[in-house]
Amino acid sequence: MAKELGFPNREVIEKIWAEYGLNERSIKEAVDMLKDWMQSQPHLPKEEGSLHEARLERWLVRCKNSMERTKQSIDLYYTLKSLSPDLMSDWNLQSKWFKTISKIAYFTAMPRMTPEYDRVVCFGFLSKDTTDLVIEDWYRIAMMTIEVRMCEDYSLRDIFIMDLANYTLAHVAKFSFLPMKKVEACCVKAFSTRLKALHIINAPPFAGVLVELIKSVFSSKLAARVHVHGTDLTELHKQVPKESLPTEMGGCGGSIIANWNPWLKKLETYQDYFLQHENVKSDEKKRTGGNAVSSDFFGFEGSFRKLDVD
């Protein structure tokens, strides 16, 4: 399964380590330090096991071998599991929400990395019908996929591609600021996703509202990495190898469904892990010092109103 999903071999992993001056010995020392640090934090859960160590290792790499940044990211991850259950809990593949959303939307990491060891992640809608679409469930399935990648995958950076081929006017009202801001907090800050670029393709004329909404949740640095394309994907192909793209995007990496189905099977293998970790989160009552989540994430949640659509 790992080979089918394109998880890299040891040689590639060591090359990625080398980018940040890491090797097997320094990785082990850093992971041990992070484990000891977590044990010393009264508000953090006491996790053990090989998957926990694998996640700590990838956190370190994603934070470019900065111990301080890694600690901040880990702390935020467990805090958001407490404060954002709409995205970070109920990861049950037997739930009705999962069975519904996995048939009408996708979030799939392509198996072929770029020559620069970047992972291409494609997401979009499998249908124009919005009757059963709950956008927060789409966000939740994205978090589940990223969690699996934290356990097994490796890349230097991620290239996100949002395909709006099936995006209709009915989709516009599904998006609002606060849930998307939570996604940004979970994905970019808690999981420390290193976003090289976000390409929005097949964008219809009315996609402007969505594009501006996406840019509004990003920092100015990340907002500058958002690139919008219509149906002409010439510029996309200049930046992303066709080997790393699905056929629907002019690539030769197989169809979207052919790539999404193996990911669904992979998620199934994590069913027990997800259920066991349902309540593995921070205990904010035991936290000493300041809160890991600043007010601009959730502090003014009540004042955010659903995006008005004319």
Side-chain angles (χ1 to χ4, degrees):
M1 177 67 72
K3 183 177 180 181
E4 185 178 4
L5 295 178
F7 296 159
N9 57 30
R10 180 70 179 206
E11 180 182 359
V12 172
I13 291 173
E14 289 181 352
K15 288 180 179 179
I16 293 174
W17 285 351
E19 288 284 330
Y20 308 115
L22 291 165
N23 54 44
E24 186 172 6
R25 179 184 59 79
S26 60
I27 282 278
K28 185 179 185 309
E29 290 176 352
V31 167
D32 286 343
M33 289 176 63
L34 289 170
K35 287 165 62 178
D36 290 342
W37 168 77
M38 284 191 65
Q39 289 289 332
S40 72
Q41 302 302 304
H43 66 288
L44 293 181
K46 314 308 176 189
E47 291 212 69
E48 298 179 351
S50 58
L51 282 183
H52 176 53
E53 292 182 357
R55 290 158 72 241
L56 294 178
E57 175 184 321
R58 284 158 178 80
W59 254 310
L60 182 71
V61 171
R62 285 171 170 240
C63 293
K64 299 193 286 189
N65 195 19
S66 167
M67 186 63 68
E68 189 58 34
R69 284 180 57 189
T70 304
K71 290 178 181 178
Q72 292 173 355
S73 184
I74 292 170
D75 195 349
L76 182 58
Y77 165 84
Y78 288 107
T79 302
L80 291 178
K81 286 197 71 177
S82 294
L83 300 183
S84 189
D86 50 335
L87 296 185
M88 301 293 282
S89 67
D90 191 20
W91 290 3
N92 186 347
L93 280 73
Q94 301 305 315
S95 298
K96 181 180 179 180
W97 75 263
F98 181 89
K99 294 180 179 180
T100 300
I101 195 65
S102 61
K103 295 177 182 178
I104 58 180
Y106 64 95
F107 187 91
T108 182
M110 296 297 292
R112 185 75 173 265
M113 281 199 290
T114 71
E116 294 79 26
Y117 305 122
D118 297 329
R119 180 72 69 193
V120 176
V121 180
C122 302
F123 50 98
F125 305 108
L126 297 170
S127 168
K128 294 180 182 291
D129 187 2
T130 63
T131 304
D132 298 319
L133 175 62
V134 177
I135 209 71
E136 288 79 7
D137 289 344
W138 186 37
Y139 297 157
R140 191 184 322 201
I141 208 171
M143 297 304 108
M144 295 167 68
T145 304
I146 296 174
E147 179 87 16
V148 172
R149 291 187 60 212
M150 286 290 289
C151 293
E152 297 192 50
D153 196 15
Y154 253 105
S155 65
L156 270 179
R157 294 163 297 265
D158 281 0
I159 299 172
F160 280 10
I161 303 179
M162 184 178 191
D163 188 359
L164 298 183
N166 287 322
Y167 183 77
T168 69
L169 282 170
H171 286 89
V172 177
K174 296 286 185 177
F175 291 90
S176 56
F177 179 85
L178 183 61
M180 193 174 290
K181 184 62 180 177
K182 289 182 179 181
V183 171
E184 185 270 343
C186 294
C187 180
V188 177
K189 295 181 174 65
F191 282 117
S192 289
T193 298
R194 295 194 59 210
L195 186 62
K196 183 176 182 178
L198 167 58
H199 295 277
I200 301 174
I201 67 172
N202 295 312
F206 53 85
V209 173
L210 176 60
V211 173
E212 291 307 311
L213 183 61
I214 291 172
K215 288 184 177 181
S216 72
V217 303
F218 282 154
S219 65
S220 57
K221 180 179 179 180
L222 288 183
R225 299 179 185 177
V226 177
H227 309 282
V228 182
H229 312 266
T231 55
D232 184 353
L233 303 182
T234 303
E235 289 302 315
L236 175 69
H237 296 155
K238 290 179 181 179
Q239 300 180 54
V240 184
K242 291 187 177 182
E243 291 78 9
S244 301
L245 292 172
T247 53
E248 290 90 340
M249 300 178 190
C252 49
S255 69
I256 289 169
I257 288 297
N259 285 283
W260 182 223
N261 283 338
W263 264 105
L264 290 175
K265 292 179 181 178
K266 186 64 175 180
L267 290 173
E268 289 176 2
T269 68
Y270 273 76
Q271 170 75 352
D272 291 343
Y273 172 87
F274 290 151
L275 295 179
Q276 291 166 6
H277 282 73
E278 178 73 13
N279 294 310
V280 179
K281 52 191 176 184
S282 69
D283 184 347
E284 294 304 305
K285 294 180 180 179
K286 296 181 179 179
R287 179 186 293 277
T288 58
N291 197 304
V293 182
S294 59
S295 62
D296 59 325
F297 285 150
F298 305 115
F300 304 110
E301 177 169 350
S303 65
F304 287 131
R305 292 177 297 177
K306 191 173 181 66
L307 180 67
D308 290 326
V309 180
D310 186 355

